[in-house]
């Protein structure tokens, strides 16, 4: 078998070693090889040959020592230039035969340019990343190398890439925040574009523009080492792609893989010039899944990919081959044998074009059904036509089968070498492949066409002297001999390896080109502590006295057809001049690779592929147009005419067939002009009504497609409520047609996977759970250990964010007994989607996976709330474990609830009998007390709701007004670790259930709307609340009334003076009044747009008196759009807006195609009906909408109405990131009403918005944020009041009377890298701001060194005294400030003391609002049983829908997250926390 250039055996004994103590040489017999051996004290590893030489490097890894041999392993010497205990990894340059690198510890490394004879050292800024590889090479210039540097702290690691152009004599920073980088010219076959004159094009996967989340990673390209030039290429048409996870250079292709959040499906993008990219298309909806595809050894004209089609435990796949530009893949063979590591039983015969060996699983159905448990029946198949057809291999009488890549017994290639046509393998005859130990050594000398058994038993084997010598050693037990053949395996001789001991063969290899007569064997003697380690050198040079001459060779054709004649592939036949098997000579031409000879063939159909804009037809043979064909201007004057156009075929690039002697499918052909005519869309809106038996809609969910998902379906799953049983329906076309599934099954609830949109589960009242992982294509089931929990507000099923099949099931135990005291919940864990369950913890309330990206959590970290001592009357403890509770840690002895959101874990713990306190953790391990301002107390009777935390701060609404029907609260905001809170706004309206009238504008930073109680003095007088609506444009720093429109819908004036913002403003009905709490004012993809229902006046009036209003500029200005109350939805990212009347019967909807500037009506029914809800895809990207109605003439009938706007246009909008105001988009900057420069949070944001006059549709999701145009200087608006400070009468931050300033030296403990801190000034920087310079208010006090950092502090400040620091840091800025005092007064008057609340979906928001609930108060954990329990958490609870009291609809904001009620405890959702009642306390 062949040795790879970077060789590692992968065996435990090869992971560490020490050098030889002595060398023993024994003379071989005259008629046999000469054998010498070298003893090592410990295990050798990473043995590597320099190509075209006998020089070998091997490592003593445990001591960091590198050894070198110049004579193919006969003698060894230590590399003295490398420091002892420093050599950690040795890498050979893949394209320069003399260059190698040793990666050392402590940032010191070495390079050799003379095959290790001399080494020079160099140092790097950071330690190189070891996995997957620290170095990336340039194929054309070995002096150019990229090195990945890794810098880690306690929570995270950062990768920066560096480069050298001169063999590491100088090293420069390429780019920070990279994931990996490659030269485009990373393989000799890849050719970049002409524009890359210096051949220096580099591609890097880097972090997002303003996010560290993997879903935002992107691809950047530079031709000047990222000095001035970098750009983001359009991978998908004219759109860039986010979520890049890897890039690979394969032969002449570059492949980039991207994954969006919410799916494990990958999109592969391919380029052949590092300039123009295409998405790779796979047939029959085969999806590429993360960690479920393997790019195999490919050809110069095709990429080979094996795609796993089963679970990892039963890993099997389908083999695909691409066309010449890597864009279209065709299926070669199914049920390929894989393993969990992603290795595939696949090998191309080296140096022979078109011959492939694969292993397939014959009993694939059984293996898949048994989830990998059971014996695989593996068969070997061979292809002689590049994978088009496969056949069995045979020894002339019987089929036989070979062990392949998934069972590697050696290193390198399994079967072949550069020795032309010689192939060996371990296998057996029979129906299926048996165990390795039951196999024999087989050989073929005609590239796999015919085989024969060479030796009994399993052996390691190698090829030498271009196949003149075949060497094997017994591999089933220790041996004292080797076997060799010098006549292509016809006869085998024996040679004594070691006369004294028996040797266990660990590795057998030779030079990479198999031209040498010398071999190297790594072996062990003995076992356990008595194991000895040897390297044997086996030399056949003296076996023959003469070198082969011309008469000793013959022509050998590499590939034959069924008739035994030389076969054509890629337009030519291949042959070699090969030594005759019985020639008594050696070729003995070391390092001279055998060269093929070619004979060119006439062209045939196999030499052509589909041209651009053509695809294979349904028959898989013909090439048909993929779209409308272009036509010359002077042709096709009539529809019945014909024109000369492309044939649809092109000669495969690299194919060398002779078109003069064969067919030429490239010639233009006559085509009917009708192929050039694009069938126009109807230009009309359409609708489709469907009726169902039932009393109502119990549940329904959309299955959102992500940016990397394949397919075009818009799938909806629905559960209807019937008197006899519920029915489940699925629609693939957004409700135009429906199909009933799971007939005759008792389904009580649907639970979509929280993190993977293609997956959902169906609950029954029993232990059986049905599920689908492919959007309902197939439905399977598993059995749990218990029926679902009866706990209110607890999910029966909890999902892991990274591993789709990891589930926590919370089931009920003892609840069927008459004694309710026995009823409790038990949590179970499965890692294989319900195939096997194990108990996680008993007597729990709730368990949750804690893993969060970027937080450094362990994958198996779980938090559980459990009764202490497993007693139902015991307090709730909070425990955690990272090994499925084999052991655990108790964090709190008595809590009421815990919540996880973004990077925070929040715990409501009891502090004594009647007190409640919050604790927070940002690392999942250490908790700290949450400190409210000391003049603000949370009593036992109060509760609080944890709001959004997407902006690196926690927002809490504290319940202050407790009178029933007159509840209100105060919103507080934390610092970046969730422990220190300051006040934002008082008197916020809330209801008894804990919901709050607070909502953020999705997609924009800093815009939020609240309703406040305007008559707080009436709280004890049993008078109704008077609500007023306020808006903030700077994240809560200042709240203002909503600006009223100047006119109503009819163009009339309002009854009040709209110039009086305080007494006459717009008020909107908010969160607490909604039937479905998942509806929102705004959409995450319709930037700047908001719609609400309300009135103009002093206070909010009843909804019956309301009209519908809209804003296009983020809430700055509003217009009245319709009389009366309406429900609304945004479609196609805001280019379509649909309204439908609420609470009244109607037969029409109103729609706008210009962001609400004008409106038209569309009639969808001949009779009026009451519409209960309007929905569309969670991302608001669809042009289809669904109306849901239970208002029918038949009480036992319900209906849906699909309204489709896609008939209006089929032109997709064009976006050009390099010219953002060109095409169909323009750049839009959100404006702040009180600032002229549009600076907000220290920067100016620019977003893509569709031009209103462009008649096109937005289509696929793309990044709305174009850029941060610039960072701004710091102003007062970039700061908020520090802990124990509050706004004074002049809007400055003043210390609360009677309290002490916070201790800022604590920051040194929180951040071990911090060198100094400043005394409190009363101000702290808003976590989201990016401002630079200007008024940095937190630095205008005395600076102090952190403990232990005094010397660094003095060095930095040049020994300034404390007074000197005061003068520099305080006195001088004060003088300057006095000089511009008037300007400050004029520009900042009334703006001091603004406190920013977090917003959802801004430029720095790391969670897509349609992926994470945009609900402001999504409940979670409750202390006083305030929350509404979920159906998923308790399927035994009766469900009354919105038509009868509870919720029946789940709309855009909840579909993607897959939750059933407001009370769900969910990562990244808001959490409702309170205290227990007095009895529980």
């Amino acid at each position: 078998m062949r040795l790879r250039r970077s060789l590692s055996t992968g065996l435990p004994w090869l992971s560490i070693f020490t050098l030889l103590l002595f060398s023993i040489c024994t003379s071989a017999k005259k008629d046999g090889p000469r054998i010498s051996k070298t003893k090592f004290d410990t295990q050798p590893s990473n043995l590597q040959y320099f190509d075209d030489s006998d020089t070998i490097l091997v490592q003593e890894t445990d001591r960091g020592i590198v050894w070198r041999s110049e004579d193919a392993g006969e003698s060894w010497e230590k590399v003295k230039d490398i420091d002892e205990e420093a050599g950690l990894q040795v890498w050979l340059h893949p394209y320069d035969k003399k260059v190698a690198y040793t990666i050392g510890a402590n940032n010191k490394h070495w390079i050799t340019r003379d095959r290790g004879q001399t080494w020079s050292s160099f140092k790097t800024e950071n330690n190189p990343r070891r996995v997957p590889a620290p170095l990336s090479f340039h194929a054309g210039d070995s002096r150019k190398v990229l090195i990945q540097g890794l810098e880690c702290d306690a929570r995270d690691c950062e990768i920066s890439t560096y480069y050298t152009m001169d063999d590491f004599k100088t090293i420069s920073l390429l780019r920070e925040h990279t994931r990996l980088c490659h030269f485009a010219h990373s393989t000799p076959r890849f050719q970049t574009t002409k524009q890359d004159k210096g051949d220096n094009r580099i591609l890097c996967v880097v972090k997002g523009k303003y996010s560290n989340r993997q879903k935002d990673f992107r691809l950047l390209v530079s031709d000047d080492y990222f000095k001035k030039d970098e750009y983001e290429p359009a991978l998908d048409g004219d759109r860039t792609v986010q979520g890049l996870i890897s890039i690979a250079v394969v032969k002449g292709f570059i492949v980039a893989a991207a994954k969006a959040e919410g799916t494990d499906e990958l999109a592969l993008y391919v380029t052949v010039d590092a300039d123009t990219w295409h998405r790779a298309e796979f047939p029959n909806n085969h999806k590429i899944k993360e960690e479920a595809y393997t790019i195999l050894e490919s050809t110069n004209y095709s990429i080979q990919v094996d795609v796993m089609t089963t679970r990892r435990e039963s890993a099997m796949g389908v083999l695909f081959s691409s066309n010449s530009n890597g864009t279209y893949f065709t299926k070669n063979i199914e049920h390929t044998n894989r393993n969990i590591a992603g290795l595939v039983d696949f090998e191309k015969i080296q140096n022979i074009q078109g011959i492939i060996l694969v292993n397939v699983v014959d009993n694939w159905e059984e293996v898949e059904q048994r989830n990998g448990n059971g014996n695989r029946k593996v068969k070997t198949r061979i292809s002689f036509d590049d994978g088009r057809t496969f056949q069995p291999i045979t020894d002339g009488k019987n089929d036989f089968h070979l062990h392949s890549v998934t069972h590697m017994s050696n290193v390198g290639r399994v079967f072949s070498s550069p020795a032309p046509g010689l192939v060996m393998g371990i296998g057996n005859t029979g129906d299926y492949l048996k165990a390795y130990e039951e196999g024999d050594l087989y050989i073929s000398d005609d590239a796999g066409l015919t085989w024969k058994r060479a030796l009994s038993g399993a052996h390691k084997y190698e090829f030498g002297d271009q196949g003149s010598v075949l060497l094997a050693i017994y591999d089933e037990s220790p041996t004292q001999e080797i076997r060799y053949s010098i006549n292509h395996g016809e006869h085998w001789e024996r040679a004594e390896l070691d006369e004294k001991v028996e040797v266990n063969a660990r590795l057998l290899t030779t030079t990479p080109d198999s031209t040498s007569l010398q071999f190297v064997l790594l072996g062990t003697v003995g076992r356990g502590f008595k194991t000895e380690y040897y390297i044997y050198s086996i030399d056949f040079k003296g076996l023959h006295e003469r070198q082969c001459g011309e008469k000793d060779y013959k022509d050998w054709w590499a590939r034959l057809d069924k008739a035994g004649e030389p076969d054509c592939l890629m337009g030519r036949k291949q042959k070699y001049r090969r030594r005759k098997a019985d020639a008594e000579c050696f070729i003995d031409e070391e390092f001279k690779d055998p060269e093929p000879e070619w004979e060119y063939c006439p062209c045939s159909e196999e030499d052509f592929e589909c041209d651009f804009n053509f695809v294979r037809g349904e028959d898989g043979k013909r090439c048909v147009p993929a779209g409308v064909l272009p036509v010359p201007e002077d042709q096709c004057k009539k529809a019945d005419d014909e024109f000369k156009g492309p044939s649809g075929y092109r000669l495969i690039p690299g194919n060398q067939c002779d078109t003069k002697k064969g067919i030429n499918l490239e010639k233009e052909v006559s085509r009917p002009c009708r192929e050039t005519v694009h069938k126009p869309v109807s230009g009309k809106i359409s609708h489709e009504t469907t009726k169902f038996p039932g009393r109502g809609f119990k549940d329904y969910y959309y299955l959102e497609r992500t940016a990397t998902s394949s397919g075009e379906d818009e799938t909806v799953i629905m559960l209807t409520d019937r008197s006899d049983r519920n029915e489940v329906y699925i629609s693939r076309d957004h409700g135009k047609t429906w199909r009933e599934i799971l007939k005759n099954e008792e389904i009580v609830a649907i639970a979509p996977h929280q993190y993977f949109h293609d997956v959902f589960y169906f609950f029954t009242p029993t232990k059986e759970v049905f599920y689908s992982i492919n959007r309902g294509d197939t439905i399977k089931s598993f059995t749990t250990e218990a029926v679902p929990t009866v706990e209110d507000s607890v999910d029966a099923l909890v999902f892991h964010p990274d591993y789709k099949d990891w589930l926590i099931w919370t089931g009920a135990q003892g609840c069927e007994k008459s004694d309710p005291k026995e009823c409790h919940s038990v949590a179970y864990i499965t890692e294989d989607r319900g195939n096997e369950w194990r108990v996680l913890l008993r007597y729990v309330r709730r368990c949750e996976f804690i893993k969060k990206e970027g937080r450094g959590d362990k994958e198996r970290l779980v938090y559980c709330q459990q009764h202490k001592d497993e007693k139902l009357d015991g307090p709730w403890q909070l425990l955690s474990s990272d090994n499925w509770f084999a052991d655990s840690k108790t964090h709190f002895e008595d809590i009421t609830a815990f919540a996880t959101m973004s990077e925070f874990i929040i715990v409501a713990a009891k502090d004594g009998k009647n007190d409640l306190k919050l604790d927070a953790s940002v690392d999942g391990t250490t908790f700290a007390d949450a400190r409210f301002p000391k003049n603000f107390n949370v009593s036992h009777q109060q509760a609080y709701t944890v709001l959004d935390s997407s902006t690196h701060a926690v927002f809490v609404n504290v319940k202050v007004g407790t009178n029933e029907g007159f509840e209100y609260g105060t919103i507080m905001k934390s610092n970046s670790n969730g422990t220190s809170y300051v006040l934002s706004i008082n008197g916020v309206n809330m209801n008894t259930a804990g919901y709050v009238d607070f909502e953020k504008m999705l997609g924009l930073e800093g815009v939020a709307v609240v309703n406040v109680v305007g008559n707080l003095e009436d709280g004890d007088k049993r008078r109704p609340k008077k609500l007023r609506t306020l808006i903030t444009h700077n994240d809560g720093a200042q709240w203002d009334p909503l600006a009223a429109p100047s006119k109503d819908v009819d163009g009339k004036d309002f009854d009040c003076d709209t110039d009086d913002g305080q007494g006459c403003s717009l008020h909107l009905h908010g969160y607490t009044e909604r039937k479905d709490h998942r509806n929102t004012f705004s959409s995450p993809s319709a930037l700047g747009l908001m719609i609400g229902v309300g009135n103009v006046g002093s206070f909010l009036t009843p909804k019956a008196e309301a009209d519908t209003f809209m804003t296009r500029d983020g809430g700055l200005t509003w217009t009245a759009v319709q009389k009366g109350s309406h429900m609304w939805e945004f479609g196609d990212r805001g280019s379509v807006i649909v309204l439908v009347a609420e609470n009244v019967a109607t037969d029409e909807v109103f729609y706008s195609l210009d962001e609400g500037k004008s409106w038209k009506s569309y009639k969808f029914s001949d009779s009026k009906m009451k519409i209960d809800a309007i929905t569309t895809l969670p991302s608001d990207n669809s042009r289809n909408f669904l109306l849901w109605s239970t208002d029918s003439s038949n009480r036992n009938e319900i209906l849906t109405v699909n309204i489709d706007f896609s008939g209006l246009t089929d032109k997709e909008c064009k976006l050009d990131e390099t010219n953002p105001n060109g095409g169909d988009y323009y750049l839009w900057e959100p404006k702040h009403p009180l600032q002229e420069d549009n600076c907000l949070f220290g920067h100016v944001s620019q977003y893509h918005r569709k031009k209103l006059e462009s008649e096109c549709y937005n289509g696929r999701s793309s990044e709305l944020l174009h850029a941060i145009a610039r960072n701004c200087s710091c102003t007062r608006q970039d700061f908020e009041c520090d802990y124990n400070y509050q706004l004074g009468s002049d809007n400055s931050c003043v210390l609360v009377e009677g309290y002490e300033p916070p201790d800022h030296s604590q920051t040194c403990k929180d951040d071990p890298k911090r060198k100094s801190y400043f005394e409190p000034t009363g101000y702290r920087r808003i976590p989201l701001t990016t401002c630079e310079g200007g008024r940095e208010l937190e630095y205008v006090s005395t600076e102090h060194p952190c403990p232990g950092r005094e010397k660094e502090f003095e060095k930095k400040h040049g020994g300034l005294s404390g007074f000197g620091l005061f003068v520099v840091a305080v006195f001088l800025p004060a003088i300057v400030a006095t000089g511009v005092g008037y300007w400050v007064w004029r520009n900042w008057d009334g703006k001091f003391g603004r406190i920013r609340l977090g917003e959802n979906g801004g430029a720095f928001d790391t969670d897509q609002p349609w992926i994470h609930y945009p609900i402001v108060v999504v409940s979670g954990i409750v202390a006083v049983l305030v929350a509404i329990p979920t159906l998923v958490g308790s399927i035994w609870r009766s469900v009354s829908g919105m038509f009868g009291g509870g919720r029946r609809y789940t709309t855009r904001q909840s579909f993607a997250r897959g939750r059933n009620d407001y009370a769900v405890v969910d990562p990244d959702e808001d959490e409702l926390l309170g205290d227990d009642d007095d009895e529980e306390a």
Side-chain angles (χ1 to χ4, degrees), residues 1183-1255:
R1183 290 185 287 169
N1184 281 263
F1185 301 81
L1186 265 181
L1187 305 179
W1188 305 78
S1189 176
T1190 56
D1191 184 20
S1192 173
S1193 57
N1194 184 346
R1195 289 189 175 182
N1196 292 317
E1197 190 175 71
I1198 54 181
L1199 59 87
T1200 63
V1201 182
N1202 166 276
I1203 303 180
D1204 185 359
F1205 288 81
S1206 60
L1208 295 179
T1209 181
D1210 59 355
K1211 178 190 173 185
E1212 187 173 2
C1213 299
K1214 299 297 182 183
L1215 171 65
D1216 183 358
E1217 285 282 358
T1218 60
N1219 182 22
N1221 287 309
D1224 295 305
Y1225 294 90
Y1226 70 99
L1227 289 182
W1228 178 72
E1229 294 181 3
K1231 296 184 180 296
H1232 189 282
L1234 300 178
Q1235 291 185 204
E1236 297 180 358
D1237 57 5
N1238 294 341
C1239 284
L1240 189 59
F1241 312 121
H1243 56 266
V1244 176
S1245 301
Q1246 295 178 327
Y1247 297 89
H1248 296 293
R1249 279 180 73 165
K1250 176 176 167 286
K1251 296 175 181 177
L1252 297 185
E1253 65 273 15
S1254 291
E1255 296 182 358

Side-chain angles (χ1 to χ4, degrees), residues 306 315-319 333-338 343-347 356-362 376-383 390-391 393 400-407 414-415 426-427 432-434:
D306 189 83
M316 294 176 286
V318 176
L319 177 64
I333 192 168
E334 293 184 295
H335 318 307
T336 51
N337 191 51
R338 300 171 55 98
L343 297 177
V344 183
D345 282 348
F346 169 96
E347 182 174 318
I356 303 170
L357 279 165
V358 299
N359 280 351
V360 297
V361 181
D362 191 53
R376 294 180 178 222
K377 296 180 179 179
V378 175
K379 293 184 174 183
T380 299
R381 295 289 182 263
I382 191 168
S383 173
F390 285 86
Q391 62 191 55
I393 57 174
F400 74 96
H401 316 282
L402 297 172
H403 288 274
S404 185
V405 178
T406 59
H407 193 286
V414 179
F415 305 118
I426 305 299
Y432 309 107
L433 183 64
K434 298 178 182 178

